[in-house]
Amino acid sequence: KSRGHSACDYTFHLAVTRFDRTTEKQIREIVDRGISSFKVYLAYKDTVNLPDDELFGLMQSARELGVVVLGHCENAMAIDALQRQLLAEGKTGPEWHYFSRPPAIEAQGTHHFLTFAERTGARAYVVHLSCREALQQAVAARERGVNVHIETLPSYLLLDKTCAERPGFEGAKYVVSPPLREQDNQPALWDALKNKVIDTVGSDHAPFDFATQKRLGEKDFTRIPNGMPTLEDRVNLLFTRGVVEGRIDIRRFVEVASTNPAKIFGLHPRKGTLQPGSDADLVVYNPGYSGIISAKTHSMNVDYNPYEGFTIKGRPEFVTVRGQIMVRHGQFVGRPDWGTFIARKPA
């Protein structure tokens, strides 16, 4: 499906929504074909949530195969109960999404996921960590010897729960899971990023049009599609709010945006570094550029931008993929079919 449709090189995580003998056989074949990371959800009851017995089986196989298991760390049963309770009380707006998934549930889910990693010896990766409580659980597990990597997102570093409280259903634009948290979580996340506790900054790009898709939940927040369009602005926001404003230095910026993901997910040294034998994937960054983020000018195929009006300082001026110039003066000039699938080996 991707071949011929990507301008940059790519690989995949695959989601495991059930685990049985058939799935285990499929996973072994998938690993042989170059996929070495799998995602599980401790959320979304009756759809993609993976029960504990199947989670344990998957992580045992992951340890044997040397692959990484990514965990969406919440608690599907607790969330379902809280959602039903809130709706019964007439609390249907997007602002109530937060209260159906409080920090304690994310922290419990993080502890739960990493307990399984501890028992099986599997490599674990906590995706989109949003709050102090979950961070504490991940750090505690790491201190016990669990092999865990931690990711956060620009949305948790820069946005907060008041965004989902905006009137006129505007808050639905900011309904994500885990929810945007209280602003006082942000200094802790930035400090953890600076001090090499948090390893990566992802995007968790999950775009839904506001006019047609987000509005499915106008009378019931549980029906609002969860996610935001964030891919395009990840690097520019991290540079602006991180490097320019002095929260992280430029070396750390490169590590969390590029080098660490390449190392964690088996792409290094082909990707994530500049050295003989590596792919010539180069970014020439222009720190003197100034711009304003807007849905009117972004490239993403979605009708809003959660960072509307944010100022950015700096941008990628030139970009090459395997030596081919793809971006010149901030504009795409490359071949839309230049990208290729990158097969990865287990650790």
Side-chain angles (χ1 to χ4, degrees):
K1 288 182 177 180
S2 300
R3 190 177 296 120
H5 298 286
S6 178
C8 64
D9 293 345
Y10 55 89
T11 184
F12 300 101
H13 312 298
L14 292 189
V16 180
T17 58
R18 71 176 189 279
F19 186 78
D20 52 27
R21 290 182 180 179
T22 300
T23 314
E24 185 173 16
K25 181 180 178 181
Q26 290 173 336
I27 287 173
R28 292 179 183 275
E29 180 181 347
I30 289 164
V31 171
D32 289 341
R33 289 170 179 254
I35 300 290
S36 59
S37 51
F38 298 84
K39 185 176 181 180
V40 298
Y41 293 86
L42 280 64
Y44 308 117
K45 180 177 176 287
D46 300 328
T47 55
V48 296
N49 178 62
L50 194 66
D52 280 354
D53 56 339
E54 297 178 37
L55 175 63
F56 193 78
L58 169 65
M59 297 191 83
Q60 284 183 312
S61 288
R63 172 65 180 87
E64 177 189 345
L65 294 169
V67 300
V68 186
V69 181
L70 295 78
H72 176 129
C73 298
E74 293 187 286
N75 182 309
M77 302 301 288
I79 291 166
D80 180 68
L82 285 170
Q83 286 178 337
R84 287 187 283 107
Q85 178 182 327
L86 289 164
L87 292 176
E89 294 171 353
K91 298 171 179 176
T92 61
E95 69 273 18
W96 296 105
H97 174 74
Y98 171 92
F99 297 95
S100 71
R101 313 171 100 100
I105 283 183
E106 185 184 349
Q108 187 275 330
T110 304
H111 174 78
H112 190 81
F113 174 62
L114 295 179
T115 297
F116 278 50
E118 184 174 18
R119 295 294 299 173
T120 60
R123 291 178 64 206
Y125 182 100
V126 175
V127 299
H128 51 54
L129 185 138
S130 74
C131 61
R132 282 189 308 266
E133 293 89 340
L135 180 62
Q136 290 165 358
Q137 292 295 331
V139 171
R142 185 179 281 170
E143 291 174 346
R144 295 196 305 271
V146 179
N147 189 348
V148 55
H149 307 284
I150 307 169
E151 170 197 273
T152 194
L153 313 178
S155 50
Y156 299 126
L157 294 167
L158 302 175
L159 304 175
D160 63 68
K161 70 187 286 287
T162 62
C163 295
E165 298 166 358
R166 295 180 181 181
F169 200 62
E170 284 288 310
K173 294 177 177 179
Y174 299 90
V175 168
V176 296
S177 292
L180 299 177
R181 301 301 188 185
E182 290 89 346
Q183 192 175 42
D184 62 8
N185 285 277
Q186 293 173 6
L189 297 180
W190 278 113
D191 286 346
L193 198 63
K194 177 181 179 180
N195 295 318
K196 302 188 177 184
V197 176
I198 292 176
D199 302 289
T200 60
V201 176
S203 70
D204 203 45
H205 181 68
F208 296 97
D209 278 331
F210 178 65
T212 57
Q213 294 173 298
K214 288 283 190 177
R215 287 196 177 277
L216 295 172
E218 279 192 282
K219 297 181 180 180
D220 177 351
F221 72 85
T222 68
R223 297 182 180 275
I224 300 171
N226 283 206
M228 295 190 299
T230 55
L231 181 62
E232 184 170 353
D233 302 304
R234 177 185 74 111
V235 167
N236 287 337
L237 286 170
L238 185 59
F239 182 83
T240 301
R241 296 301 183 94
V243 178
V244 175
E245 297 185 7
R247 293 183 175 94
I248 57 174
D249 64 27
I250 198 163
R251 291 180 181 273
R252 188 66 182 148
F253 164 68
V254 173
E255 285 175 352
V256 300
S258 178
T259 309
N260 288 350
K263 289 181 176 179
I264 292 166
F265 294 113
L267 292 164
H268 192 271
R270 179 171 177 178
K271 304 291 187 182
T273 187
L274 305 180
Q275 65 183 47
S278 299
D279 285 350
D281 296 341
L282 311 176
V283 178
V284 179
Y285 213 84
N286 175 10
Y289 175 83
S290 293
I292 297 176
I293 295 173
S294 175
K296 295 178 181 179
T297 54
H298 73 201
S299 302
M300 298 180 290
N301 185 22
V302 63
D303 65 0
Y304 80 99
N305 193 306
Y307 302 106
E308 187 75 34
F310 275 53
T311 298
I312 59 167
K313 299 291 186 182
R315 72 173 182 187
E317 196 73 18
F318 294 89
V319 178
T320 68
V321 177
R322 284 180 285 115
Q324 179 82 15
I325 295 177
M326 306 299 280
V327 172
R328 181 181 285 116
H329 302 306
Q331 300 300 314
F332 179 74
V333 296
R335 285 174 44 184
D337 62 349
W338 179 249
T340 187
F341 171 75
I342 304 295
R344 297 177 289 135
K345 295 181 179 180

